[in-house]
Amino acid sequence: MTEEQVKKATDHFANLVREQLERVERMKHEPDWTDFSSLDKIIIGACSGDGIGPAITEAAIIVLNFLLDSEIKSGKVEIRRIDGLTIENRVKVMKAIPDDVLAELKECHTILKGPTTTPWKGNKYGWPNIESANVSMRRELDLFANVRPVRVPEKNIDWMFYRENTEGAYVLGSKGVDVSDDLAVDFKVITNQGSERIIRAAFEYASKNNINKVTVVTKANVVKRTDGKFLAMAEQVAKEYPQVEWDDWYIDIMTAKLIDPARQSSFRVITAPNLYGDIITDEAAQIQGGLGTAGAANIGKRYSMFEAVHGSALKMVDEGREKYADPTSMIKAAAMLLNHIGYTDESAKLDRALDICSQYEKKMVVTGRDTGVTGEEMAKYIIETIKSPDLEQKWKGYQ
Ligand code: NAD
């Protein structure tokens, strides 16, 4: 050990602490929620991403174009393509999000985003280890709430996850320090402001939708400072919602209980710091029918971004199977986007059609291979289902 190594590491840490204290100050002065009903024009930015991203994003755009046809024609809504968020561009400028792309994103009111590849150490494509575009976008646009619905009617599962998106174990994920060849240290950050807004969002959702249960997931018994702060904040916020019951679970046992038939349907709204939320939402998506079926909302007060839960599935592209990728995750994301910007009827219709097409009727099935239909065919099947005059009746018939 050399004093030089210790000094370098502590200087690095000191800079991170300064950055985080500044972030806390920014959070204290964050702007109010966007009021979509007061906008002359709503701009939806559409980024295709990498791997299977372009194929499944295109399928979602076909559906959005159909549902928003008159709004687009009247100029009330614009779907604006943003092409530069590709791994090739990001590697070229060695940035998680190139500056010009970030500027374009900030001109939109909401974003539909295909999965983006995050290079990993030693990847076979030779990409350098740059930061995740997702992590960066969530931070740059302050998209603090990652909201993911999971429904499995036959198991009586109706979950809504509120995963914290801007802090925890990921926000400084690429800012760890190699103190020496033998010692690496990463950092995890939790603040009062960051915890309060996500926990409050979860309780607000429960309260507005007459749901009587919020579950808070941490590992506060072991990770005492940061997880302890999150749990303490939950206790404080919960007092303002006496009509909503709440409980807390540790992440390890929670992963087990989500697959326990005796317990799983008792969970309703679930909130967790970043890493734990990432793990349990992937697990939940699998229970729903696989990663290809899950959409996610990333919501902040000013901006919002809607995406699939899964990644760019490079393996599928390497094997030439991208056109068979399941687009329902992106189409689900589009339904959540419509709801967020105020097109609640269109969103509800799309949700009904998604339920019918991928859970009940299943006239067409996407298998990820040529044994099933293509993503584009699936999108057209969903549109035909939306068009059917007895959509609601049909859906009710399956309940
Ligand atoms: P992945 O989620 O991309 O895919 C894993 C496997 O799941 C695929 O090989 C495929 O078999 C299946 N799959 C995923 N989506 C599917 C779909 N729509 N239809 C059919 N099958 C589907 O995980 P990965 O391969 O480990 O990650 C690839 C890249 O994506 C990595 O660089 C990762 O960092 C990135 N990623 C991005 C996001 C995001 O942009 N939100 C999320 C997770 C991972």
Side-chain angles (χ1 to χ4, degrees):
M1 181 191 84
T2 68
E3 279 313 309
E4 203 183 316
Q5 284 170 319
V6 174
K7 167 98 176 53
K8 214 172 147 205
T10 47
D11 283 352
H12 182 86
F13 180 62
N15 281 333
L16 294 181
V17 170
R18 283 187 199 102
E19 272 175 35
Q20 292 305 306
L21 286 171
E22 281 169 19
R23 190 172 65 84
V24 168
E25 286 311 307
R26 283 200 301 277
M27 277 193 284
K28 285 182 184 168
H29 302 103
E30 61 191 0
D32 213 351
W33 292 94
T34 296
D35 176 7
F36 287 96
S37 66
S38 71
L39 297 175
D40 292 335
K41 178 190 245 182
I42 300 172
I43 304 172
I44 303 173
C47 308
S48 299
D50 305 305
I52 60 169
I56 59 173
T57 308
E58 209 47 51
I61 292 175
I62 294 174
V63 176
L64 277 181
N65 273 328
F66 167 74
L67 282 166
L68 295 174
D69 185 47
S70 59
E71 307 297 299
I72 292 170
K73 282 184 180 140
S74 73
K76 173 75 189 151
V77 173
E78 175 190 342
I79 298 181
R80 187 179 289 180
R81 307 260 181 176
I82 297 175
D83 292 326
L85 197 68
T86 60
I87 182 69
E88 292 78 12
N89 268 347
R90 288 182 284 134
V91 164
K92 208 183 326 169
V93 295
M94 288 299 284
K95 280 200 158 170
I97 304 178
D99 293 341
D100 55 336
V101 175
L102 186 58
E104 284 181 75
L105 291 170
K106 286 186 170 173
E107 281 169 18
C108 301
H109 298 104
T110 185
I111 295 152
L112 182 71
K113 183 191 138 303
T116 40
T117 296
T118 306
W120 56 98
K121 213 172 177 176
N123 67 79
K124 67 174 181 178
Y125 306 94
W127 291 316
N129 211 354
I130 53 172
E131 191 193 8
S132 150
N134 266 333
V135 173
S136 171
M137 196 182 295
R138 288 169 191 156
R139 191 181 54 233
E140 293 290 340
L141 305 183
D142 207 17
L143 307 173
F144 62 83
N146 187 266
V147 184
R148 302 189 188 185
V150 167
R151 288 192 335 108
V152 188
E154 65 271 22
K155 291 187 177 161
N156 201 19
I157 288 173
D158 189 356
W159 297 327
M160 187 61 90
F161 291 90
Y162 276 79
R163 164 190 166 194
E164 205 293 319
N165 227 356
T166 52
E167 341 198 291
Y170 286 0
V171 61
L172 299 179
S174 61
K175 294 193 177 176
V177 51
D178 285 316
V179 179
S180 71
D181 284 346
D182 297 313
L183 175 65
V185 180
D186 276 315
F187 303 99
K188 172 167 166 171
V189 180
I190 297 270
T191 65
N192 273 347
Q193 289 73 15
S195 309
E196 193 205 332
R197 59 190 186 176
I198 186 75
I199 293 166
R200 190 176 292 285
F203 274 90
E204 272 294 310
Y205 175 83
S207 172
K208 279 194 186 130
N209 290 281
N210 296 317
I211 298 171
N212 181 28
K213 182 74 179 291
V214 172
T215 297
V216 179
V217 181
T218 67
K219 189 67 188 172
N221 54 337
V222 176
V223 187
K224 292 184 189 299
R225 297 272 68 80
T226 48
D227 285 7
K229 186 178 266 309
F230 194 90
L231 188 54
M233 181 54 76
E235 232 175 299
Q236 202 175 309
V237 172
K239 287 191 184 128
E240 295 174 41
Y241 298 86
Q243 74 284 16
V244 180
E245 275 179 31
W246 77 286
D247 58 3
D248 79 283
W249 289 78
Y250 297 132
I251 178 64
D252 41 359
I253 189 68
M254 186 68 185
T255 56
K257 290 298 163 192
L258 282 181
I259 53 168
D260 175 1
R263 173 70 71 171
Q264 55 186 183
S265 64
S266 70
F267 298 116
R268 295 298 315 279
V269 178
I270 300 149
T271 182
N274 212 334
L275 170 61
Y276 310 138
D278 195 10
I279 294 168
I280 53 178
T281 48
D282 270 12
E283 186 191 14
Q286 191 60 44
I287 295 168
Q288 180 174 256
L291 285 174
T293 63
N298 298 270
I299 292 173
K301 292 188 172 174
R302 164 74 177 82
Y303 296 104
S304 49
M305 181 265 277
F306 299 80
E307 62 176 346
V309 169
H310 58 75
S312 53
L314 297 165
K315 214 169 135 206
M316 291 186 81
V317 181
D318 289 346
E319 293 170 8
R321 293 190 281 125
E322 63 269 35
K323 72 174 179 178
Y324 297 106
D326 193 343
T328 50
S329 51
M330 282 303 286
I331 296 175
K332 178 82 201 159
M336 295 173 83
L337 184 152
L338 287 170
N339 183 289
H340 186 69
I341 65 174
Y343 291 98
T344 47
D345 285 353
E346 289 78 358
S347 168
K349 272 191 202 165
L350 182 49
D351 267 335
R352 298 285 195 246
L354 275 167
D355 274 359
I356 293 170
C357 297
S358 51
Q359 303 236 20
Y360 305 124
E361 188 180 74
K362 294 185 182 172
K363 270 195 202 157
M364 287 185 186
V365 178
V366 189
T367 61
R369 302 176 178 277
D370 61 8
T371 49
V373 298
T374 65
E376 193 181 335
E377 284 165 332
M378 189 67 185
K380 288 184 176 153
Y381 170 36
I382 290 167
I383 289 173
E384 285 314 308
T385 306
I386 297 170
K387 279 185 192 163
S388 67
D390 59 344
L391 175 69
E392 191 63 23
Q393 223 78 338
K394 210 171 178 180
W395 183 82
K396 281 196 178 130
Y398 287 110
Q399 300 309 299

